[in-house]
Amino acid sequence: MEVATHMKCSSIWESIIGQTKVAQSKGSDPMMWSVQISTELRSLGISLPCVELGKHLVSHICWQNNVPIAWKFLEKALSLKIVPPFLVLALLSLRVIPHRHSCPAAFRLYMELLKRHAFSLKECTNLPNYHKTMNSIDKVLDLSQIFGLQENEASVQLVLFIFSTVWRLVDAALDDEGLLQLTENEPKWPVRPQDMEIDNVYEEKRKEYGEILQNINTIMAVELIGQFLQNKATSKILYLARQNMCTHWESFIQTMQLLLEHSSALRNSKCISPEILLKLISDAHKIKVHPVVQVTPLVNSAGLCIGTSQSALWLPLDMLLEDAMDGSQVNATSAIEIITGLVKSLQAIHITSWHAIFLGLWMAALRLVQRERDPIEGPVPRLDTRLSMLLSITTLVVADLVEEEESVAVDEFEYGLEIKHRISGKRRMDLIFSLQNLHEYQSLLTPPQSVISAANQAASKAMMFISGINVGTAYFDSISTMDMPIDCSGTLHHLIVESCIARDLLDSSAYLWPGYVNGHINQLPHNVPTEVPGWSSFLKGASLTPVMINALVSTPASSFAEIEKVFEIACKGSNDERIAGATILCGASLIRGWNIQEHTVYFITRLLSPPVPGDYSENESHLISYAPMLNVLLVGIAPVDCVQIFSLHGLVPELAGSLMTICEVFGSCVPNISWTLTTGEEISAHAVFSNAFALLLKLWKFNHPPVEYGVGDVPPVGSQLTPEYLLLVRNSHLISSGNSLKDPNRRRLARVACSSSSKPIFVDSFPKLKVWYRQHLACIASPLTGLVNGTPVHHTVDALLNMMFRKINRGNQSVANVTSGSSNSSRLGSEEGYLRPKLPAWDILEAVPFVADAALTACAHGRLSPRELCTGLKDLADYLPATLATIVSYFSAEVTRGVWKSVFMNGTDWPSPAANLSSVEEQIKKILAATGVDVPSLAAGVSSPAALPLPLAAFVSLTITYKLDKASQRFLDLAGPALETLAAGCPWPCMPIVASLWTQKAKRWSDFLVFSASRTVFLHSNDAVVQLLRSCFSATLGLNTSCCISSNGGIGALLGHGFGSHFNGGISPVAPGILYLRVYRSIRDVMFLREEIVSLLMQTVEDIVCLKPKKSKYGHASFAAALTEVKVAASLGASVVFLTGGLGLVQSLFKETLPSWFMSIHRSEKEGKRGGILPMLRGYALAYLAALCGAFIWGIDSSLSAASKRRPKILGCHMEFLASALDGKISVGCDPATWHAYVSGFLSLMVRCTPTWILELNVELLTRLCKGLRQWNENELALALLGVGGHGIMGSAAEMIIETEF
């Protein structure tokens, strides 16, 4: 600090410079001058190094004293630290570089000083006045302004100074060789003087010498650039610049590319070559990481996935796709969004190319189709849903990923960054390569029988294109591949390519790929009709005759224009045209129109909320006039596959909003009007309401308590299936600005949401539905009460009971004697009022719980026979099919209360399962043979026939009265899952008894029913679930040699290849993964799985090391091979956690399970036998498990999802635990090698794969973690962690680099 007064300052520096000029004229020794100057400064109380002296010395030299002796004085002052080296170098760069052509010797001396002093980081940063020096440099060079960083931290300013110095040298070298003009942006630094150099006129000889020196200087500048990139400390400093100033680094790399490609100085250098410099800038971001994040090439990344090769690492994709096929529950979130997030996570965690991940995704979707190419029959999604996943959903996922990259590139281009090399779309090229590679996997490309025709047509289309024959779609409407002169057999590959072409991912050049078609044809087949009813003629204006309608219903549309025209007719046409349009939309275009399926489901959803006509003036809702069309739509999308397709596309929330409106309107109507459809069928308001209500209830688990799946301190999973939640998601789709527009899938959802209603809607918007929903929840929560004598509800109960039991001749026997008081004036047996009451549907639903209660109570007390009970309930359901939902709700609640006695299923009063109960038992044992789980015996003793709780017996007896026809199917689809859930929750063997009864009813459903019964084995025992999971791990890793599915491991062993009696001459064992995916949703308390997954993973790691050693040439287990299998095991564990418990289970894993495990003591007899490899692999396994769980749930980047918003808090808690343990505040009980491997592995994965996570952690926490890592000598990892921590911690990272003398 200077102690001289302000008035003396100028005289002091004049004196110092005067002494310097005298010494300069005398040719004094630089050492003597330095001693004299430093002595005088100290006598004046001025501390060294002196900032002001540095400024004056540089001003002295530039340019009145640009002589050798002056430079020698300056160099000696630098060496003795009389002046701060960094400041002098900064001042010289500002003065010398622009004048390097007129003063080449000065530029040469400047670079010599750089060599001597710019790399002495530790020495210079430990000098007094360091912070003042760096602040002066920042002001002199204006670094904060240029780089847009308002940081006062000296270490941050040091990073900017070094980065700017290297960049100045690059610009200078480019300018020297005339290359700077090739850059698209103005140079960031001045490379030429601002004023004319009129005083620097050389003689010819001196000019020639100057040009030689300039050339030498350019070479030296290039070599100096390489030295900055090679030096351990400065290269790490530049790494910080790359990580935290990405935009500036990209611009810097662009200039470096010019140097690499065009610089003759670089080619002439003897110290560095273009190849070396290219490697240096490529390695500028690489930090040595741990084996758990080493890039491993995914050879055969997408084959049949047999064995635990690298391809098995894609099993999360297979599990997610297979899980989406479970029809027991729809999802409020689009499968496109979920799969896209998973694909990004896997691509980041595995550090693999987009080509590999695209190939893995295609093959997972193909395996999904091949796994159930001949699925069992039953009320479950079948092949159509799987084909939609392959040919529509997967293609949209890929399209969104490609658009994401290309739209970002375009946005950056528009904002002036002009990053042209990104606009080309590398993902698109990787997609093309992956599609070309698909041709190598013919075994997975064989089309199922139902799509052979479509595949052949796709192949024919390509063949005609390459043959130069131009035909329209009309030709394909009328030709069969049998008419073609050569083989036009198509595969799923052809359908995939067509799906990509339809979405502009490919063009017709794909038809020219080698092996894509079998040859050429010279002419078209003869005798083919020129025009047949079909999409082509319809698009040309043909009318919608019955023949045309049938053709359009049975054949999917091939283009958006075709399906859009149908939509317009349905919106604006006559009543008959509306019905025809709705019928066509719900036909083949919905199920098999894969290329336009997203448009079809959007159009159907929009039609369910038709706009109010401009001239509409009636008091009643305008929806009444649309009743026939709405009913066609409701019936058309009711099948399980259709509902699942809407779910996959993310339209469940929009669909729910539309259905609630329809239910509110038609449920309030008295059924005194009817409509006649074009088929002659007559429908009423009750029919429209029932169809809409049944479909609405399929969209959430309405018969389950809403809190049954509560996990941790997050909202229960069940709440995601309520009307409130569905509307909340639907309202979120209305957002039409901000980041949501960057997501193509969210744009699609926003478009359809806004088309129905641009304003948010809530349950309060539907008062009638709200009343029913509250009654429904109350019925589940507590016994039925509240029926008051003489109220409208009481009168409705009487009317319904009289209608149901009018044929019973028992006088006026009152039901009140046997009820709990809820129906104390209702009577059985009256013949009066036998006509069906004309009541609104909502009024009937409000009375149904009391009706069911009265009827069930009468049966329990012998006043109704079981047959009469079931007949009466069936009459009620026939009168208003929607009542089946309330009956389900009531029976479910009563069974769980356990107040009803069981009834014997003896074949007299109730149907008997005895005829096939034993065969069901044998089949269950076969199905579970691969799991090792014991099946409780179903054989009942002679004195103890099968029994069911009365409500369950009544419910199953009611359901088996339905016919298995199309009309009843949509209501059985509603009652079926409820019946299964209800039976599964009852004591064993209720579900097998139900399955036996239904198998007698529907023999073609026997495989499905027996499989459903086998699942309930796991719902009554957590031990059985754990054993099932153990089987999953063993099957995947090939650890169970006695497994009856496969001993090779891999995805094939985990998920198998389908099940059913049509395989291998009889029902076969089901792969454990399939069983678990169909079981876990019914596990009420999933929290116990936290510890079990970790325990199973640790046991699996031990088995990998000890039971499956892969010998290296040294005779030890190959670490790389073992690590690959450990990653597969961790991928399986993460998939189970992700699918089973979602955010809640992952949160609990990070906050509770992992810390508890590490603090506990774990010992294994086998640890000593394998040295340090077992504990280390355990740590890596847990690190991989944690990273994958977090990535699957939170995502790898910043997003608007609710889960990602909770990431900073949950991850921060876990990082606090790690830091506290590293600080010694918490004692760790596990093996030190395991702990070390976990911490280093998990942090390495975060650095390399999920750097966004690190940005969300606070600086103090990161500093503590790095301090702990350095105690383990993990300096590289500590630096990498700080390097991606953002601007706020860049200074700390720089200090660490300097302190550790990298």
Side-chain angles (χ1 to χ4, degrees), residues 921-935 1014 1018 1027-1028 1031 1040 1042-1045 1067-1072 1075:
E921 178 181 11
E922 290 303 316
Q923 291 177 338
I924 290 176
K925 288 181 178 179
K926 285 184 180 180
I927 288 175
L928 302 184
T931 66
V933 174
D934 293 329
V935 179
S1014 68
F1018 303 98
Q1027 176 58 39
L1028 177 59
S1031 299
N1040 187 359
S1042 63
C1043 177
C1044 20
I1045 300 246
I1067 202 160
S1068 57
V1070 176
L1075 271 170

Side-chain angles (χ1 to χ4, degrees), residues 371-606:
R371 194 174 295 126
E372 293 296 339
R373 56 184 300 122
D374 297 308
I376 62 174
E377 291 195 51
V380 289
R382 304 183 64 189
L383 186 59
D384 288 327
T385 306
R386 294 173 183 267
L387 287 168
S388 292
M389 180 65 83
L390 169 66
L391 299 173
S392 182
I393 301 300
T394 302
T395 310
L396 288 169
V397 168
V398 173
D400 288 355
L401 288 169
V402 170
E403 181 182 340
E404 178 185 66
E405 180 195 43
E406 296 179 353
S407 63
V408 168
V410 170
D411 288 344
E412 292 186 350
F413 182 80
E414 289 175 351
Y415 278 101
L417 298 181
E418 301 187 35
I419 307 173
K420 285 189 174 179
H421 64 281
R422 294 185 61 187
I423 298 178
S424 61
K426 186 176 185 306
R427 292 184 189 177
R428 185 182 293 270
M429 295 306 301
D430 283 345
L431 167 64
I432 293 173
F433 294 148
S434 72
L435 290 171
Q436 290 173 337
N437 290 152
L438 277 183
H439 186 66
E440 302 172 11
Y441 303 96
Q442 289 298 319
S443 61
L444 289 180
L445 295 173
T446 304
Q449 186 67 34
S450 61
V451 294
I452 288 177
S453 176
N456 291 345
Q457 191 177 92
S460 300
K461 179 181 178 183
M463 182 174 293
M464 290 185 181
F465 174 84
I466 66 173
S467 301
I469 300 174
N470 186 17
V471 295
T473 57
Y475 183 80
F476 291 105
D477 290 340
S478 58
I479 190 173
S480 166
T481 54
M482 298 297 293
D483 300 319
M484 299 294 288
I486 63 174
D487 181 22
C488 287
S489 298
T491 67
L492 291 175
H493 190 204
H494 296 95
L495 293 177
I496 291 172
V497 168
E498 287 299 320
S499 177
C500 291
I501 291 175
R503 293 173 176 89
D504 295 326
L505 293 171
L506 300 174
D507 56 29
S508 53
S509 63
Y511 298 151
L512 303 175
W513 292 347
Y516 188 73
V517 295
N518 294 327
H520 295 70
I521 59 174
N522 297 322
Q523 61 182 3
L524 294 175
H526 300 292
N527 303 322
V528 176
T530 57
E531 193 76 38
V532 295
W535 285 102
S536 179
S537 55
F538 167 69
L539 205 57
K540 293 177 181 178
S543 59
L544 284 176
T545 63
V547 175
M548 176 64 77
I549 293 172
N550 290 336
L552 301 186
V553 169
S554 59
T555 307
S558 59
S559 68
F560 174 75
E562 294 170 349
I563 205 70
E564 184 181 36
K565 184 174 181 180
V566 175
F567 172 69
E568 291 174 352
I569 289 174
C571 286
K572 304 173 183 178
S574 64
N575 287 334
D576 287 347
E577 287 178 329
R578 289 175 182 174
I579 293 174
T583 304
I584 295 169
L585 286 174
C586 296
S589 295
L590 172 59
I591 297 296
R592 298 197 307 276
W594 307 296
N595 297 345
I596 44 86
Q597 193 174 72
E598 66 270 30
H599 304 297
T600 305
V601 293
Y602 298 157
F603 286 149
I604 291 174
T605 306
R606 290 176 61 180

